Amino acid sequence: MALVEVKVPDIGDFKDVAVIELLVKPGDAVQVDQSLITVESDKASMEIPSSHAGVVRELKVQLGDKVSEGSVVALLETEAQASAAAPASVGGQPAPAAPAPAVVTPQVAVAPVLPVSASAPASLATVAVPAPPPPATAAVPAAAPSVPAAAAAHDPTRPPLGLPHASPSVRKVARELGVPLAEVRGTGPKGRITLEDVQAFTRAVMAGEVQTRAQAAKAPAAPAAGDGAALGLIPWPTVDFAKFGPIERRELSRIKKISGANLMRNAAMIPAVTNHDDADVTELEAFRVQLNEEHAKSGVKVTMLAFLVKACVAALQKFPEFNSSLDMASGGDALIYKRYWNIGFAADTPNGLVVPVIKSADQKGILQISREMAELAAKAREGKLAPADMSGATFTISSLGGIGGRYFTPIINAPEVAILGVCKSRWEPVWNGKEFTPRLMLPLSLTWDHRVIDGAAAARFNAYLAQLLADFRRILL
Ligand code: COA
């Protein structure tokens, strides 16, 4: 019998990382490689494995402690012979025989920088990182090669990025039980999915209180009712429409099915608020008409939307949180500010709504934006948009200006945090302090994520936007 200190091995660039989970307690028998604790930096979480087999005499760390390479995690009682590695000389005890080579594989969950694609929200991903071999002595861990997490993330043999935030041991249990982690709500720190969450989810599914998406998809009747049940809502009403008159059933288009699922998630998950305002675009419209006359032969038609794109970029630069995304990989407690301004615009197509993106709109003029917009809208209507045409937006404009309406409440295109809805401008009598004068007023509806943006900031954003549209020269200031 010998006492061995288990220490944090070489974990690459991770220093002073917080202990977020204790996976064993004193008295537990542990095997070589068995995870003892989970640590987490702002970028990744990692389980620290035991270098020896034995019984935990004492845990040397507590939740919240900061550890680095070499920090003692636990004191183990080992059978010198049974140990897979050589225990250290602790308290003057002689060091036993040389270690058997062991491959230890700590699991690292890497938080990638939030992808800019609206269709690919970021989350933690688990990748296996080869661990250092067990230390030659517990007191002085042998130098061991470590693999940077980023490099490991590119290993095609490892699980893909985009997995939910859970420790590798929880993932393992979920895999064994067939629990879809993406559907489990995490109650741990920063939304981390705990073992209890997986167990509670399993119990709820077994009790028929919750359906997994796979079950709902297979269910012949009313998948919407299943989704509502998952949200704790009463079932969707079932009506035999044919009882009241002739009916025809048409399958939703592929785009509608995809966008519907996205809209549902965004509407359900984002605490969204909408501010309405009006911009006096009398002079801007006159300028737009003049530009179109001047460029009649170029084939480029300048639309109000192009000016809106440019004005929005200026407003996003003045109010950068509108051009940010919540860092969901860290449980949504940080913002990722994007230093590029890519503006998506909703385009109505025969098959449904799509959102092509004007990239680097800050670096483009009105004519170029108008040209690109016309090209993208044409591609959208022909169903020829490539995924790259629709990814990378930092803010979206949905314009119904060519159709009509007064105001509406657009749904935010996650992971963006705001969207501008625009309706048809119309002539209105506006009081200028002395008299009513006819002015062309453009209705603006700004929907924003209240987790990120306050009402006052939204009102300022709208007011600034209206100011720019009323006098476009201000964009130069
Ligand atoms: N006020 C008054 N007139 C407007 C206007 C506004 N805010 N915006 C556009 N118009 C006019 C245009 O000047 C054009 O007039 P013209 O034919 O006399 O030149 C006409 O309306 C049609 O404009 P449109 O072809 O729609 O161009 P656009 O640049 O404004 O919009 C798209 C391009 C692709 C965004 C648009 O065609 C579209 O698909 N809009 C629907 C978006 C949508 O469905 N949003 C809802 C999502 S929930």
Side-chain angles (χ1 to χ4, degrees):
M1 192 73 83
L3 273 184
V4 178
E5 286 179 336
V6 178
K7 296 187 175 188
V8 175
D10 178 356
I11 48 176
D13 292 337
F14 294 81
K15 285 196 180 59
D16 289 330
V17 284
V19 176
I20 59 161
E21 259 178 318
L22 303 175
L23 303 169
V24 293
K25 56 184 185 317
D28 285 355
V30 296
Q31 303 298 317
V32 177
D33 295 357
Q34 183 174 336
S35 299
L36 301 180
I37 59 169
T38 309
V39 296
E40 185 176 66
S41 73
D42 55 346
K43 295 199 180 63
S45 64
M46 174 188 291
E47 290 188 6
I48 303 298
S50 178
S51 51
H52 296 71
V55 174
V56 179
R57 161 77 70 86
E58 189 184 343
L59 272 178
K60 291 288 194 184
V61 291
Q62 294 180 346
L63 288 179
D65 283 359
K66 295 282 170 65
V67 297
S68 305
E69 179 186 346
S71 303
V72 180
V73 173
L75 214 51
L76 289 193
E77 276 174 11
T78 65
E79 288 289 342
Q81 294 308 313
S83 167
S89 164
V90 177
Q93 305 242 6
V103 179
V104 187
T105 309
Q107 299 274 304
V108 177
V110 180
V113 172
L114 196 67
V116 289
S117 161
S119 59
S123 57
L124 282 175
T126 300
V127 293
V129 177
T137 68
V140 187
S146 71
V147 177
H154 294 296
D155 185 337
T157 63
R158 289 175 176 145
L161 295 177
L163 298 175
H165 191 20
S167 73
S169 59
V170 171
R171 285 180 196 294
K172 185 163 175 283
V173 174
R175 257 196 317 277
E176 285 164 4
L177 293 173
V179 169
L181 273 184
E183 296 172 38
V184 179
R185 200 171 70 85
T187 60
K190 300 178 184 170
R192 169 178 281 270
I193 297 169
T194 64
L195 186 59
E196 286 72 24
D197 295 332
V198 172
Q199 290 164 340
F201 185 89
T202 310
R203 275 196 298 273
V205 170
M206 296 302 286
E209 295 160 9
V210 169
Q211 263 189 324
T212 63
R213 281 188 208 128
Q215 287 171 330
K218 276 189 208 144
D227 290 344
L231 291 171
L233 303 176
I234 58 169
W236 194 258
T238 317
V239 177
D240 179 6
F241 301 111
K243 239 171 54 180
F244 303 101
I247 60 165
E248 178 193 348
R249 185 183 184 280
R250 285 191 199 168
E251 195 73 10
L252 287 179
S253 69
R254 199 179 60 83
I255 290 179
K256 277 223 164 105
K257 283 181 189 166
I258 296 169
S259 63
N262 277 287
L263 290 166
M264 181 67 202
R265 178 201 54 208
N266 300 346
M269 289 186 65
I270 302 173
V273 185
T274 304
N275 283 35
H276 303 288
D277 209 336
D278 296 306
D280 182 338
V281 292
T282 315
E283 269 84 38
L284 189 57
E285 175 62 9
F287 181 50
R288 187 186 77 82
V289 170
Q290 182 194 329
L291 270 183
N292 275 332
E293 284 166 7
E294 286 170 14
H295 293 271
K297 287 187 188 140
S298 71
V300 181
K301 184 178 160 195
V302 176
T303 69
M304 186 53 78
L305 198 47
F307 286 103
L308 279 159
V309 167
K310 213 60 198 161
C312 281
V313 168
L316 293 170
Q317 288 174 333
K318 190 172 169 71
F319 302 97
E321 70 269 31
F322 286 78
N323 202 53
S324 74
S325 284
L326 278 165
D327 181 5
M328 297 312 273
S330 69
D333 58 4
L335 280 182
I336 295 174
Y337 290 85
K338 284 156 268 183
R339 308 291 184 216
Y340 51 85
W341 293 269
N342 295 343
I343 310 298
F345 64 98
D348 183 31
T349 80
N351 288 322
L353 189 68
V354 289
V355 185
V357 181
I358 303 285
K359 305 271 167 45
S360 304
D362 57 309
Q363 293 162 32
K364 293 173 181 168
I366 294 290
L367 293 177
Q368 191 180 349
I369 290 173
S370 297
R371 189 181 303 113
E372 278 187 30
M373 214 174 245
E375 287 166 4
L376 287 167
K379 268 170 100 175
R381 289 188 183 113
E382 291 159 17
K384 290 186 179 158
L385 283 177
D389 293 326
M390 295 182 280
S391 60
T394 58
F395 181 84
T396 295
I397 303 175
S398 177
S399 172
L400 295 172
I403 303 166
R406 213 53 194 120
Y407 302 97
F408 69 115
T409 54
I411 293 174
I412 294 168
N413 197 14
E416 294 156 42
V417 294
I419 181 169
L420 181 73
V422 182
C423 283
K424 195 175 180 67
S425 55
R426 70 176 185 191
W427 290 98
E428 287 178 17
V430 176
W431 182 252
N432 66 8
K434 289 189 196 137
E435 57 188 349
F436 282 105
T437 52
R439 308 296 296 178
L440 188 64
M441 304 303 288
L442 181 72
L444 305 173
S445 303
L446 181 74
T447 300
W448 39 279
D449 185 334
H450 212 336
R451 293 171 298 181
V452 177
I453 292 158
D454 293 328
R460 283 189 201 105
F461 184 99
N462 251 356
Y464 182 64
L465 193 61
Q467 219 181 12
L468 293 177
L469 294 167
D471 185 350
F472 220 70
R473 293 170 306 177
R474 288 179 182 276
I475 218 158
L476 300 169
L477 298 177

